Amino acid sequence: MQLRARDYERMLDLAVAVLENGDTDTSWHLITGHLLEAFGCHSATYTACNMADGSGRAEGWAPDRLSAHVGDLVQRRVQQGHPLLYYTSPGEHRPPVNVSELCDRWRHSQWYSEARRDFGASYQMGVPLPGEHGILRNVVLGRDADFTARELAFATRIQPLLVSVGNHVRELRRLRAGSLPAPVMTGHGLTPRELTVLGLLAEGLTTEAIARRLAISPHTVNRHLEKVYRKLGTNNRVSTVRLARQTGIVP
């Protein structure tokens, strides 16, 4: 399916917005806001669910008025057996899908009634995001019209970007939780993405391993490392990690 030039512009806008955002707590709100506009939706949510105990939460949503409805969203979907949860697999790639295709009687289902009531949406598209074992992550978009083949193709193209964003946010949160406060960490002018790459470098990961962890190419990793070297005034991995530890950028 041929995408339009504007689709690629939206992909680039989303990538730039995420990389420039230093607040991991707002990353998914930022992303769902971009997706809301890109797909002309009434609602966009990002949720993470542990199927073993039915726990989880919505980590991002748009528009803001959905705040009144997302508090127990994951628990409701688990209790109702939402079809998207059974379509998603933690360690397996699944393409974006119109949720109505997963449910024979979508318009007569409890999920449809809830989507209409809370989100003003008659149709939903799910974008599964593979992650760590046992955790189901999904972006769900809702609106009054079904999603077209071109829009499904567009969602398929941005799916790896969303996976990479999720990895980036989780790694950055982990690094910040075990190190110094963010103002100290960013004192060298490192971007959130560069901090994430630097943290993984300090763990001893190779370029290829960092690329796999963040779902980006080795070339992109090397580009980030070149910027880290320049900002820290170093020229190799050993001196970079040593300086980063001495100055408290990484634990």
Side-chain angles (χ1 to χ4, degrees), residues 6 45 126 237 241:
R6 181 53 182 150
T45 60
R237 293 175 174 236
V241 171

Side-chain angles (χ1 to χ4, degrees), residues 13-91:
D13 289 344
L14 177 59
V16 170
V18 169
L19 292 178
E20 290 183 345
N21 181 46
D23 184 0
T24 58
D25 291 334
T26 63
S27 292
W28 283 108
H29 290 294
L30 178 69
I31 293 165
T32 51
H34 273 266
L35 295 176
L36 193 79
E37 178 183 352
F39 287 92
C41 296
H42 297 329
S43 65
T45 60
Y46 168 74
T47 61
C49 171
N50 185 334
M51 286 296 286
D53 57 12
S55 65
R57 65 191 183 104
E59 295 188 12
W61 57 86
D64 289 338
R65 63 175 177 77
L66 297 187
S67 299
H69 303 289
V70 299
D72 62 346
L73 177 63
V74 172
Q75 284 73 23
R76 292 202 312 272
R77 286 180 176 171
V78 172
Q79 292 170 0
Q80 297 167 358
H82 195 284
L84 188 58
L85 293 177
Y86 297 97
Y87 174 76
T88 305
S89 176

Side-chain angles (χ1 to χ4, degrees), residues 43-209:
S43 65
T45 60
Y46 168 74
T47 61
C49 171
N50 185 334
M51 286 296 286
D53 57 12
S55 65
R57 65 191 183 104
E59 295 188 12
W61 57 86
D64 289 338
R65 63 175 177 77
L66 297 187
S67 299
H69 303 289
V70 299
D72 62 346
L73 177 63
V74 172
Q75 284 73 23
R76 292 202 312 272
R77 286 180 176 171
V78 172
Q79 292 170 0
Q80 297 167 358
H82 195 284
L84 188 58
L85 293 177
Y86 297 97
Y87 174 76
T88 305
S89 176
E92 182 179 345
H93 174 78
R94 296 286 177 85
V97 63
N98 279 313
V99 178
S100 58
E101 296 180 7
L102 304 177
C103 179
D104 292 336
R105 293 174 57 80
W106 168 249
R107 285 186 170 272
H108 301 282
S109 69
Q110 184 176 6
W111 315 299
Y112 171 83
S113 300
E114 181 182 285
R116 287 283 296 169
R117 183 193 69 216
D118 295 340
F119 303 115
S122 302
Y123 296 89
Q124 290 183 330
M125 175 170 67
V127 185
L129 306 180
E132 65 269 37
H133 179 69
I135 305 297
L136 303 183
R137 301 180 185 277
N138 285 285
V139 169
V140 180
L141 308 175
R143 68 183 191 191
D144 280 340
D146 213 350
F147 293 87
T148 66
R150 186 193 64 78
E151 289 171 323
L152 285 167
F154 177 44
T156 299
R157 296 296 288 272
I158 65 174
Q159 191 179 25
L161 174 59
L162 297 178
V163 172
S164 181
V165 167
N167 292 339
H168 167 66
V169 170
R170 288 192 294 277
E171 287 292 340
L172 192 55
R173 284 175 178 171
R174 182 180 63 81
L175 289 170
R176 286 182 172 173
S179 188
L180 298 178
V184 177
M185 293 177 65
T186 56
H188 293 270
L190 298 178
T191 67
R193 190 58 149 182
E194 289 161 2
L195 284 169
T196 302
V197 172
L198 176 57
L200 296 175
L201 185 73
E203 291 184 12
L205 272 66
T206 65
T207 298
E208 290 73 19

